[in-house]
Amino acid sequence: MKLLQKLALAGALLALTTVAWSSEIKVALDSPPDLEKSGSYVWAHHFTEALNERGLRARELPRDAVGGEAEKLDQIAMGLLEVSLSDVNSVARIDPFIFGVRLPYLFDGVAHMDRALVEGEVLNRINDDIAHASVRLLAIVPLGPPSGIITTRKAVTTPDDMSGLRMRALDDAQIALYRAWGSNGTIVSWGEVPAALQTGIVDGYINTPLVPIMFGQTDIVRYYTDANVMNALRAVLVSDDWYRGLSDEERGIVDESVEVANQANRDWLEEVTPKALAELEAAGVEVMVLSDAARERFRELSQPVYHDTTLTAEQVETWSELAQRTR
């Protein structure tokens, strides 16, 4: 984005509010405000509610109200926005180490990932490396159950079924994953995904089973494969200047509210996981269950992709060892 456009966005955001940092905390959402189907909204809602209950004024900003991922990151770094539910790739642009949470088949689920994050003091490590960008990572939030394979043209029950499919990718690493599975990928922004599915530009994507329901895509997609590829996640980013500028009492309230929101999200996830596939089927999407042999084959094909990411060989080893130690 050009400098003038960035300044215009900053001016527009400033025009929305004249309060100081400590007077109001703006929380930029990444999804519709759905407490039943959006894990990131469950987190944001309970975080905002906890802040307000403890005496700090906070409000939610609707999805895309202050721009897309790049704009939110810019505004966080500039101190114009306090809190954002952001794509993990927003952090990876500053510190690629976080990409470990997106390695396919590295973790057995969210609980396993949580153990690894604590054991490896991952958030502290990342925050040390991104402080220069005036950004701080407060939490990593699951959107829903682990990601499966969502398709429009044909069902996927083995890697061989991926042949001929063109999948929506987040980045080059995901394109490498599709290639390893025998298909192709093309990068498409999330806002363009429905049109891309309808026109056949892409034949599907990887995500949690709740996403097609939450974004009204069940009349477009036809199949969901419960492949348990990776955890579908959001990164809670805050302005480091804002966070450091809080009083000790205010910072304590923010930290406590993070813990409240984390627990609410994990409680929600435990409740919704058994229901997710049934809801998808009820919406008209056929759910495919992989055999143990097919799942293991997907896992084997995914391993070489670890080295096609922005992670160094040493970082891949760090994540792999951490995952094994906490399994």
Side-chain angles (χ1 to χ4, degrees):
M1 180 174 290
K2 296 179 181 179
L3 178 59
L4 288 177
Q5 291 175 301
K6 291 183 179 180
L7 290 174
L9 270 174
L13 185 61
L14 283 173
L16 291 175
T17 176
T18 58
V19 296
W21 283 342
S22 60
S23 298
E24 182 178 60
I25 300 167
K26 300 179 292 298
V27 181
L29 304 180
D30 69 312
S31 77
D34 190 332
L35 287 172
E36 294 184 0
K37 297 180 176 62
S38 172
S40 58
Y41 183 67
V42 169
W43 193 98
H45 173 79
H46 284 86
F47 176 68
T48 304
E49 191 174 67
L51 290 174
N52 285 318
E53 288 175 352
R54 289 159 177 76
L56 294 182
R57 291 178 54 206
R59 67 183 173 101
E60 301 168 1
L61 298 180
R63 180 174 179 260
D64 294 334
V66 292
E69 294 294 341
E71 290 77 25
K72 288 194 294 184
L73 182 61
D74 284 343
Q75 292 165 35
I76 286 284
M78 296 167 68
L80 300 173
L81 176 65
E82 288 76 33
V83 185
S84 172
L85 278 292
S86 292
D87 194 302
V88 169
N89 275 8
S90 293
V91 185
R93 292 187 188 100
I94 310 170
D95 180 17
F97 182 73
I98 196 176
F99 197 88
V101 299
R102 284 191 52 219
L103 291 177
Y105 294 104
L106 181 68
F107 297 116
D108 298 332
V110 170
H112 182 198
M113 180 195 73
D114 284 343
R115 292 193 299 272
L117 294 178
V118 172
E119 175 74 18
E121 298 184 342
V122 171
L123 265 63
N124 288 339
R125 170 174 177 162
I126 291 171
N127 281 326
D128 286 344
D129 291 339
I130 67 176
H132 70 277
S134 298
V135 174
R136 175 177 291 266
L137 176 66
L138 283 193
I140 294 176
V141 179
L143 283 171
S147 293
I149 303 168
I150 299 163
T151 54
T152 57
R153 287 200 298 112
K154 64 177 179 176
V156 173
T157 58
T158 71
D160 289 343
D161 294 328
M162 295 295 296
S163 177
L165 294 178
R166 182 168 55 238
M167 304 291 287
R168 179 257 179 172
L170 285 168
D171 49 34
D172 290 339
Q174 208 164 73
I175 289 177
L177 178 62
Y178 293 137
R179 190 178 299 120
W181 291 351
S183 61
N184 293 296
T186 183
I187 296 174
V188 178
S189 68
W190 181 248
E192 296 173 351
V193 166
L197 291 170
Q198 290 175 315
T199 58
I201 293 174
V202 296
D203 301 310
Y205 58 89
I206 293 174
N207 219 316
T208 176
L210 294 176
V211 161
I213 301 172
M214 179 170 53
F215 287 93
Q217 297 173 357
T218 53
D219 59 339
I220 306 173
V221 302
R222 295 180 58 195
Y223 306 102
Y224 178 85
T225 303
D226 187 20
N228 195 12
V229 181
M230 62 185 71
N231 294 318
L233 305 167
R234 285 291 182 267
V236 180
L237 297 180
V238 302
S239 164
D240 196 46
D241 291 338
W242 164 77
Y243 184 82
R244 291 177 181 273
L246 296 171
S247 67
D248 290 343
E249 180 182 3
E250 290 171 329
R251 196 178 304 113
I253 291 173
V254 171
D255 292 344
E256 183 179 352
S257 298
V258 169
E259 292 304 313
V260 169
N262 284 345
Q263 188 61 54
N265 171 269
R266 296 328 191 257
D267 290 346
W268 168 85
L269 184 63
E270 184 175 353
E271 181 180 344
V272 78
T273 294
K275 305 175 183 177
L277 297 183
E279 289 191 28
L280 205 55
E281 284 187 313
V285 177
E286 186 176 352
V287 173
M288 318 304 297
V289 179
L290 294 181
S291 66
D292 290 343
R295 189 181 302 276
E296 183 57 31
R297 184 57 180 155
F298 269 110
R299 185 190 302 273
E300 290 173 355
L301 291 172
S302 302
Q303 299 303 306
V305 177
Y306 288 18
H307 300 282
D308 289 328
T309 68
T310 54
L311 294 172
T312 65
E314 181 181 358
Q315 289 172 333
V316 169
E317 180 61 28
T318 295
W319 278 108
S320 298
E321 192 276 332
L322 186 58
Q324 184 60 36
R325 192 165 75 239
T326 53
R327 179 163 278 113

